[in-house]
Each structure stands twice: as C-alpha cells, then as structure tokens.
Amino acid sequence: MARAEDKGWSPYLAGALTGVVSTLSVWFVGQYFGASTSFVRFAGALEKLFAPERVQSLEYFVKTPPVIDWQWMFVVGILLGSLIASTTSRSFEWKAVPDMWKRRFGPSISKRAFAAFIGGAIAIFGARLADG
Amino acid sequence: MKMLIYGLITGILFGFLLQKGRVLRYDKQMGALRLMDMTIVKFMLSAVLVGMVGVYLLKDMGLAKLSIKPTILGAVVLGSLIFGVGWGVLGYCPGTQAGALGEGRWDALWGILGMILGAAIFAEFYPALKATVYTWGNFGKITLPEVLGVSHWVVIPVFVVASLALFWWFEKKGL
C-alpha cells in the first residue's frame, strides 16, 4: 500500500543531483558509475572457494579478478544510502513480492523468487556481453 | 584503501538519491518498461544531461579523461536484447537492486544471487563469445561528435534541447 507520506523528491531533481555526484566522482576520483562488473568479482570470489583452478584458468576472471575495489564498495554504498533515505522518511518496507507482480502473478514468494533469480542471471549475462 | 572509502561514500550518495527519486522499486522499473510511468527515464536522463555537461567541461579543462567503451555492434545489440529480457523478468537493474534491498524490497536478493550465477556462466562462455560476437561490427572507441566531425559543444546542446522537449511531452501526457 502506498502511504500518504511516501512521496519522495522530483525525479528531475534527484537525477540532476546524481549527475553532480557522478561529475565530482570523475573529477576527484577518476571513477565512472557502474555496477555489473562487481557481480563478476563476487562470482569469482565465490567460485574460488571450491574451484580455484577453474577461476585461474578462465580469461574473464583473470581480466576481472575477484578483488574488492572502488565499484564493489560503490554497490554496497547504494544499499546503505537507500537504507538511510528510506528509514529516515518512513518509506522503508519489508516486501517479498512487489505490488504489480502480485496483481499479475499472485502472492507466491517462491514464484517471484524463481523468476527474479532467472531474470537476474539472464540480465547480467546481457549486461556483461554489451559491456554495460 | 582510500579508493574503497571514496567508492562507499559515492555509493551512499547515489543510493540516497535513487531512493528519494523513487526509481528503485519493481513497480517503477516495470512502469517504465510498460511505458506507463516515465519516472526512471526522467531520473536517468536528468543525470545524463548534468553528467554530460560536467564531464565534458572537466575534459576541456584537462581535469578528467573520458572512459569510452568500444562500439561492437554484435556484442552491444545482442547483449542489450538479452539484458532487456532479464530486466523485464527481474524488474531491477544490477546496481539498483542493491538499493531496492536497502529499502526493504528483499525479492531483490534473488536477483542478486541470480546475477552472481549469471556472471559465472558468462565467464565460462567468454572465450567462445570473444571469437564470435565480439568480432561482429567492431568500430572501436568512437564518440558521436567524432563520427559527425563536429565539436562536442554542438552535440551536447542538441541533446539537451531534445531531452527537455521529451520531458515537456512526458509532463503533458502525465507519464
């Protein structure tokens, strides 16, 4: 249910401020925003636990080694920033199934989990292929 | 170490703004894909406009370098088509799903786990893709001003005006 106080900021304002933050990041740190490379690093780190030779033999993991870097911390920061913004504005809400999904596919948590998992695997494959 | 702290702080600012802009939620993401709610497009395009002007100013002053990815038609076209299918099913983006989790929409966790698996699968396919898709239509690191043979300060105002016209149209249509 949408709550009365759950309004947020204008997307134009929040977007423009994001543009300012991204410009400052390029200026002072030389880093452009990105996220999908971090999933490669995470996957490499996990796979290394049970198949270290496999990780070492794959060119893609050599090119993108499983280390924690600027972008990895950036993705963690996104989670924290959203947590701060939502809990301080009472728009934080534990939700297992989104409203629009529920209206179309019902309230099943496992159905949503299955689709989100498969969708995520497909999405990152495409994102990596396009180098996005 | 310093880089990691910069990454964390930048991420916190970005996550804060994403949440305030209300662009993290499944309903908003699907609203954009279903052409019902353009909130995300407004947010993204506003960020692009400001970032585009800011970064090119920095470049002209010699304070920053552009980060240009190669234009490989095979990889970009095929990759974006695959990404679109996954995005439509998941309803979150790679970076923003961390933010969705941050505001309690914990179905994003399944997407994060799926992406870790998908990245591992991609690493397995990479050698085969490199020999095929990555060789199809490779134009190298090109930019629009270079291709058109004009200054970037010709392209940027056109892009800004076109975006503002699009915003005006969104507001007129109540999207």
Side-chain angles (χ1 to χ4, degrees), chain A residues 5-33 35-37 39-40 42-43 46-47 54 58-61 63 68-71 73-89 91-101 103 105 109 112-132, chain B residues 3-8 10-27 30-31 34 36 39 42-43 46-47 50-51 54-55 58 63-67 69-70 74-76 78-80 82-83 85-87 89-92 94-107 110-127 129-130 133-134 167-168 170-171:
Chain A
E5 68 269 31
D6 188 11
K7 287 294 283 179
W9 297 356
S10 152
Y12 298 118
L13 174 68
L17 288 173
T18 296
V20 172
V21 174
S22 75
T23 302
L24 293 175
S25 174
V26 170
W27 188 356
F28 293 112
V29 194
Q31 290 291 335
Y32 285 85
F33 285 15
S36 61
T37 312
F39 291 92
V40 179
F42 206 115
L46 275 180
E47 202 174 326
R54 187 73 194 145
L58 287 175
E59 187 189 347
Y60 204 64
F61 284 134
K63 207 163 73 99
I68 291 177
D69 64 346
W70 178 91
Q71 194 197 87
M73 295 305 290
F74 175 71
V75 174
V76 173
I78 292 173
L79 193 157
L80 293 176
S82 167
L83 182 68
I84 293 166
S86 59
T87 49
T88 52
S89 65
S91 58
F92 181 94
E93 194 182 339
W94 280 116
K95 207 169 235 192
V97 181
D99 296 334
M100 193 184 276
W101 175 279
R103 282 198 295 275
F105 301 108
I109 293 175
R112 170 62 187 148
F114 179 75
F117 185 83
I118 300 295
I122 296 169
I124 201 74
F125 193 99
R128 289 291 71 206
L129 182 57
D131 204 0
Chain B
M3 283 304 271
L4 300 185
I5 293 165
Y6 282 135
L8 187 68
T10 313
I12 289 173
L13 291 171
F14 186 37
F16 188 91
L17 292 168
L18 285 166
Q19 205 280 335
K20 286 295 180 196
R22 297 290 185 266
V23 293
L24 295 168
R25 294 167 196 176
Y26 175 92
D27 289 19
M30 295 312 279
R34 298 173 70 189
M36 295 158 63
T39 308
K42 294 173 190 174
F43 182 100
S46 300
V50 174
V55 169
L58 291 176
L63 296 170
K65 266 187 284 189
L66 298 185
S67 168
K69 307 232 174 178
V76 172
L78 201 64
S80 52
I82 294 170
F83 175 78
V85 171
W87 185 19
V89 174
L90 169 59
Y92 298 119
T96 55
Q97 65 186 352
L101 183 60
E103 61 170 354
R105 276 65 180 179
W106 64 272
D107 58 319
W110 310 118
I112 292 170
L113 294 174
M115 287 206 186
I116 293 168
L117 176 73
I121 294 171
F122 183 81
E124 298 289 334
F125 276 91
Y126 184 68
L129 292 167
K130 204 178 153 195
V133 182
Y134 280 106
F167 290 159
W168 172 81
F170 285 164
E171 297 308 322

